[in-house]
Amino acid sequence: MTQSSVNILVLHGPNLNLLGEREPEVYGRATLDDLNALIRNHGKKAKATLRIFQSNHEGVLIELIHKHRRWAQGLVFNPGAYSHYSYALRDAVSAAQIPTVEVHLSDIQKREEFRKVSVIAPVCLAQISGKGANSYLEAMDRLLLG
Ligand code: DQA
C-alpha cells in the first residue's frame, strides 16, 4: 500500500449477482465479475485499496457498512431495489459517516415511478445513475478527488 492509498468499499445490493443474465436490455451483458474487474482496474490506476462485496440481504449490507466504518474512506453503493425503500440502509450510511456515492447502472429517472425516489440519496454525497459500469468508476473518482 502506498502512502496515498485511499480505502474504498464497494457494495452491490440484491440481484446484482445475476448481472449478465438479468434483464440484459436494461443492465447489459456484462457479469458482476466483469464489472468488478473494471472497478479493480480503475482502483489500481488510482492506487486505491478496494474491498468489494455483493449481498442479497439488507442485514448483511448493514453489517458490512458497520464493519468497514473505520476502514473505508469512501463507499460506492448500489443498493439495488433497497434504494427505493430501505430506511435501515439509509440509517446505516448516515451512522457510519463514510462519504458515500450511490450508484445505479440504469437511469432510475427514466424507468418505473417507484424507482425515481431513493431514500438513501439524501445521506450520500452524490447519486450517479444510468451510466452502466461508468456509474461506479465516476463514483470512485468523486471519492478519490475528495
Ligand atoms: C439498480 C436500479 C434499481 O431500481 C434496481 O432495483 C436494481 C438495479 C441499477 O443499478 O440500475 O436492482 O440499482
Side-chain angles (χ1 to χ4, degrees), residues 15 66 76 94 129 144:
N15 300 305
H66 290 180
V76 175
S94 181
S129 158
L144 289 162

Side-chain angles (χ1 to χ4, degrees), residues 75-143:
L75 167 60
V76 175
F77 192 16
N78 185 346
Y82 285 137
S83 313
H84 314 303
Y85 65 93
S86 176
Y87 297 114
L89 278 170
R90 174 196 169 117
D91 282 352
V93 169
S94 181
Q97 295 195 302
I98 307 167
T100 298
V101 179
E102 178 185 321
V103 297
H104 300 282
L105 294 157
S106 64
D107 185 345
I108 59 171
Q109 294 307 325
K110 295 200 174 136
R111 299 182 62 194
E112 300 95 323
E113 280 303 310
F114 76 89
R115 294 187 204 276
K116 292 184 180 167
V117 173
S118 165
V119 300
I120 298 174
V123 295
C124 296
L125 290 179
Q127 182 195 68
I128 302 177
S129 158
K131 299 185 175 182
N134 280 329
S135 294
Y136 287 77
L137 308 187
E138 285 186 21
M140 291 167 72
D141 290 344
R142 175 77 166 73
L143 292 167

